[in-house]
Amino acid sequence: MISQLESKSSTKKRYQRFRVRGSSMLFTLSAGDRVAIEKVLPEDLRWGDLIVYVRWNSNRMEPNYILHRLVLKLRVRGQYYLWTKAENRILWDAKITPKELIGRVVAVRRQRARLRTDGLTTPLHAIILSAYSVIAFKGTRKIGKALL
């Protein structure tokens, strides 16, 4: 999860800044990192991009901003659907619609250092993590069946 810091506008791009909370992206991002998000259309996203989307808390109607890696993008009857995955979780997240999409990570700051974002969005990284998820999930199901 992430928390919104502020919106900031520049003459070239509009972006929002968020602070990373939690450990779901531990292999790439750490709690306390700050990220800059640019608005983007679903068709412009690439497999492996780090994206931010919003899920609404049904009880309090408060937004939960989530930053995870894009692992699948499908276009069905002109509508895009996105699936993401946390880096240290086994399963993919639920389907994301374009209305829930906030944007793509374009910059990361850790303490005083600025981290490169081009290495964070490689398709190879996404393939490896996706393969790990499938293997780990199958292993988890086998262990679960053995315990029953």
Side-chain angles (χ1 to χ4, degrees):
M1 265 219 226
I2 58 175
S3 58
Q4 189 169 14
L5 289 176
E6 62 184 66
S7 292
K8 188 171 183 177
S9 194
S10 76
T11 56
K12 293 183 181 179
K13 291 186 180 182
R14 172 134 176 91
Y15 64 93
Q16 293 175 289
R17 296 190 312 171
F18 292 84
R19 184 176 304 277
V20 175
R21 298 181 317 170
S23 61
S24 67
M25 295 298 292
L26 192 55
F27 300 129
T28 303
L29 300 171
S30 300
D33 287 352
R34 294 176 311 226
V35 294
I37 310 299
E38 73 174 346
K39 290 185 182 243
V40 65
L41 297 171
E43 54 265 27
D44 295 330
L45 290 172
R46 296 177 317 198
W47 195 35
D49 280 346
L50 296 179
I51 65 171
V52 173
Y53 61 96
V54 65
R55 290 285 160 94
W56 294 91
N57 183 333
S58 59
N59 297 337
R60 293 177 268 160
M61 289 305 295
E62 293 178 2
N64 289 323
Y65 295 101
I66 301 166
L67 186 158
H68 286 162
R69 187 176 301 280
L70 180 66
V71 292
L72 182 63
K73 176 175 79 168
L74 292 178
R75 185 175 176 188
V76 178
R77 297 185 190 132
Q79 172 85 15
Y80 281 94
Y81 297 99
L82 309 170
W83 282 266
T84 61
K85 183 186 169 310
E87 303 221 330
N88 68 354
R89 303 284 193 270
I90 293 172
L91 301 176
W92 292 7
D93 302 324
K95 171 181 64 180
I96 302 162
T97 64
K99 290 180 181 178
E100 296 171 308
L101 179 65
I102 302 297
R104 169 177 41 209
V105 174
V106 293
V108 178
R109 278 210 179 272
R110 180 170 295 152
Q111 295 172 352
R112 296 179 188 256
R114 185 174 182 162
L115 305 178
R116 293 181 54 170
T117 57
D118 55 350
L120 298 177
T121 60
T122 62
L124 179 60
H125 197 169
I127 291 169
I128 292 168
L129 290 170
S130 297
Y132 164 77
S133 296
V134 171
I135 293 166
F137 180 65
K138 285 184 179 180
T140 304
R141 285 194 327 192
K142 287 179 184 176
I143 292 169
K145 286 180 182 178
L147 292 174
L148 293 177

